Amino acid sequence: MAESSAPGEQAAALRVQIEQHNHSYYVLDQPTVSDAEYDRLFRELQALELAFPELLRPDSPTQRVGGAPLAAFNEVRHATPMLSLNNAFEQEEVEAFDRRVAEALGSPLIEYATEPKYDGLAVSLVYENGLLVSGATRGDGTTGEDVTTNLRTVRSIPLRLHGRHAPASLEVRGEVLMLKADFARLNERQAQLGEKIFANPRNAAAGSLRQLDPRITATRPLTFYAYGTDVAASGLYTRHSETLDALTQWGFPVTRERRVVIGSAGVLAYFADIGARRSQLPFDIDGVVYKVNLLAAQNTLGFVSRAPRFALAHKFPAEEAETVVEAIEVQVGRTGALTPVARLAPVLVGGVTVTNATLHNEDEVRRKDVHIGDTVVVRRAGDVIPEVVRVVAEKRGADAQPFIMPLQCPVCGSDTSKAEDEVIARCTAGLYCPAQRKQALLHFASRRAIEIEGLGDKLVDQLVDRQLVHTPADLYRLTRETLAGLERMAEKSATNLLAAIEKSKQTTLARFIFALGIRTVGESTAQDLARYFGNIEAVMGADDTALQQVPDIGPVVAHSIAGFFGEPHNRSVVQALLDAGVRFEQAAALALDTAGAAYGKTFVLTGALPTLSRDAATQRIRDCGGKVTGSVSKKTDFVVCGADPGSKQVKAVEFGIAILDEAGLLNLLGQSEKK
Ligand code: IVH
């Protein structure tokens, strides 16, 4: 079609066509042509522009490839300052913000536009007569750097506004960032080329946008999302959300993750929802932003110092922080595994003070090149154990010491060994190693296992060091006389301890199996085993194949369980415990309890319950065959709410999940127990 028309018309048609494909691909995420067809159109336009240079236009897609390198960026003064946002971390702060807004506006229910808080770089884009004429970084808020040529290379930024109703003059603000998947690919490519590896998508985006050579920027996969525009001040729109809709019409990418909600309950539900999906979002966010949606209300509220009174950034707790490694110690676990642990100068991460971080194993220490004395970044995400993410190499002092993994067990001095296909070194001394024995005993006696109240680490140290106790069965042979010889063991404590030991004999099969400390058997696997087999003899007699019949047990766990009970030493400990009088009558009932209302159901506990502790409630649920998890998802069956339940309750309502109070829970469990 284009062949017969004039070159000028041909070029214009190609520009429109190519930019439409760009928009479909980069903004709508819905590719409309094959790469080959896109390349063909692109080369056709390039050839025309080469033959007729007078046809070249600033909004030609061929102009997205960068130009000559700059010596420095020019300064640009922003038409209106680029302000910052007030931050909140706690629910109470969000509620206080909503109350202030409601009071100032004299209206009880406020409509908010909610958006992700992108973790990238703020930029301002200026369009004149539909064409992108200038793009700048935020800088100090008043003056930024002119990065127009670099921003032109960002495919999702329109070079020309779409649609017929675009204003003659327009400023758009938003965030330049790198999608997580693009970041991963970029780093892979950088590694192959032996080039710099970026620490995170934000750094990669910043480094790429602030390149003096735009041709380098053009090779970096940057993305843009718009979150504001000066047409809000034009009087043509009533709501912030409508201005964002208009930006979509003009060709800008605006996230689909935005919502319009009502009141503090609405914003908190949005926060909870995005928080739960954070890791699945294609880009990094460090929180969400709430903006009073009515533009007239925004005007009434105005600004205080450098931040709007009508908006709030609700941030996630920082999950990473820098601190210093004061020492690297090696811990021996109850399975003999040697774990290097970094002792850290105390630091607040994700709202919790962290003083230790696991280094996992020797290979990890080498790979991350952690020295004693190094400044490191530690991360604590959710409930996971804090870990050392990386060393801040520039901060390494001359006195930093490399870590040497001991060849002998730091507790018993026995040799350590590492299987060829394993990264974990283990002490070879088994239960003869006091560390393993002590850990095994503490685990056995712990609250969720057999539960012997008062048997803490000081006491276990003495019992093991004086060779009074070798295996958990020995605990049941302790007498008033043997205990009397121990430090800090008054008559009364001895009586209490013996009573606690006696009491522990009456337990459940699940607790008993868990207490044995089989390497791969946590509480829930122990429950699965108890429920499936119903008695200890059956569990001990099951081979790999039989064990794999248990739901959720795979070959690795099955093998480790069969291996444990194949060891005569372990069988004799079990026998000795049974001989000592450990009993689990409840187990038989449990095994039959599959018809109960709680059986197989997933519970989330939130807020303080009036009488039951968190652990007690968890145990009761488990005893009825239920499962307790930490966060509300579509798979949750019941959310049990106490006082101040917070965002989990909001989420339960949103997902339509049944909410119980303590009485409701007990009623439900009662039904289970009766059946
Ligand atoms: S609105 C008047 N919306 O947060 C305030 N900012 O602290 C205008 N940011 O540097 C900002 N996502 O780059 C707004 N959805 C969003 C945002 C957002 C990220 C950044 C912005 C600015 C900082 C403000």
Side-chain angles (χ1 to χ4, degrees), residues 526-538:
Q527 274 158 12
D528 293 343
L529 288 166
R531 223 174 280 140
Y532 187 84
F533 290 103
N535 63 72
I536 189 69
E537 290 75 17

Side-chain angles (χ1 to χ4, degrees), residues 74-96:
N74 289 324
E75 282 196 348
V76 190
R77 220 182 143 76
H78 301 301
T80 53
M82 293 184 77
L83 302 178
S84 52
L85 290 166
N86 287 322
N87 285 335
F89 285 94
E90 306 295 333
Q91 181 176 329
E92 295 73 44
E93 298 172 80
V94 174
E95 287 161 350

Side-chain angles (χ1 to χ4, degrees), residues 48-357:
L48 265 175
E49 288 173 347
L50 201 67
F52 307 96
E54 68 277 13
L55 295 180
L56 219 106
R57 294 285 179 280
D59 62 329
S60 170
T62 60
Q63 301 308 293
R64 288 191 182 273
V65 292
L70 304 172
F73 294 117
N74 289 324
E75 282 196 348
V76 190
R77 220 182 143 76
H78 301 301
T80 53
M82 293 184 77
L83 302 178
S84 52
L85 290 166
N86 287 322
N87 285 335
F89 285 94
E90 306 295 333
Q91 181 176 329
E92 295 73 44
E93 298 172 80
V94 174
E95 287 161 350
F97 162 77
D98 176 55
R99 274 197 302 276
R100 279 198 305 276
V101 168
E103 213 163 283
L105 297 175
S107 146
L109 283 178
I110 304 300
E111 181 178 302
Y112 293 100
T114 61
E115 299 160 16
K117 186 168 193 308
Y118 306 102
D119 200 4
L121 293 96
V123 296
S124 150
L125 305 171
V126 177
Y127 291 80
E128 296 293 349
N129 300 318
L131 287 184
L132 174 67
V133 292
S134 155
T137 61
R138 177 170 188 264
D140 64 5
T142 311
T143 325
E145 285 169 327
D146 181 349
V147 286
T148 312
T149 327
N150 288 351
L151 285 171
R152 284 180 166 285
T153 71
V154 179
R155 299 294 198 278
S156 54
I157 294 180
L159 298 177
R160 169 187 286 279
L161 300 179
H162 301 198
R164 266 174 286 141
H165 305 293
S169 148
L170 174 73
E171 183 183 357
V172 176
R173 289 180 178 178
E175 201 92 345
V176 166
L177 47 84
M178 198 174 284
L179 299 180
K180 293 179 198 169
D182 288 334
F183 165 74
R185 271 194 295 270
L186 172 65
N187 260 357
E188 233 168 72
R189 192 176 80 198
Q190 294 285 99
Q192 275 164 10
L193 299 174
E195 300 277 343
K196 179 186 159 77
I197 302 290
F198 296 99
N200 53 49
R202 205 200 105 80
N203 285 3
S208 303
L209 186 63
R210 301 197 59 259
Q211 276 289 337
L212 287 169
D213 186 346
R215 286 168 301 194
I216 297 182
T217 309
T219 67
R220 302 282 174 78
L222 293 172
T223 299
F224 173 78
Y225 281 102
Y227 56 64
T229 161
D230 63 349
V231 299
S234 68
L236 290 172
Y237 298 89
T238 315
R239 290 176 160 81
H240 168 75
S241 54
E242 291 165 5
T243 65
L244 295 187
D245 296 340
L247 288 177
T248 346
Q249 299 306 310
W250 300 330
F252 292 93
V254 179
T255 182
R256 277 175 231 144
E257 296 291 346
R258 65 197 170 103
R259 303 276 178 275
V260 174
V261 301
I262 305 288
S264 61
V267 297
L268 290 170
Y270 175 77
F271 180 76
D273 173 46
I274 292 273
R277 293 185 299 113
R278 184 180 179 186
S279 62
Q280 284 120 49
L281 293 179
F283 43 75
D284 276 347
I285 60 173
D286 56 354
V288 294
V289 184
Y290 310 140
K291 299 171 185 173
V292 171
N293 201 20
L294 284 174
L295 297 170
Q298 289 195 358
N299 271 334
T300 308
L301 288 159
F303 299 82
V304 222
S305 65
R306 305 203 40 77
R309 234 191 302 246
F310 57 78
L312 184 73
H314 188 179
K315 303 236 284 189
F316 300 126
E319 290 177 326
E320 289 192 357
E322 271 187 24
T323 187
V324 173
V325 176
E326 293 179 334
I328 298 178
E329 289 172 9
V330 174
Q331 281 180 352
V332 186
R334 69 187 156 84
T335 58
L338 270 58
T339 308
V341 175
R343 301 277 175 231
L344 307 167
V347 62
L348 206 62
V349 197
V352 171
T353 303
V354 169
T355 52
N356 301 314

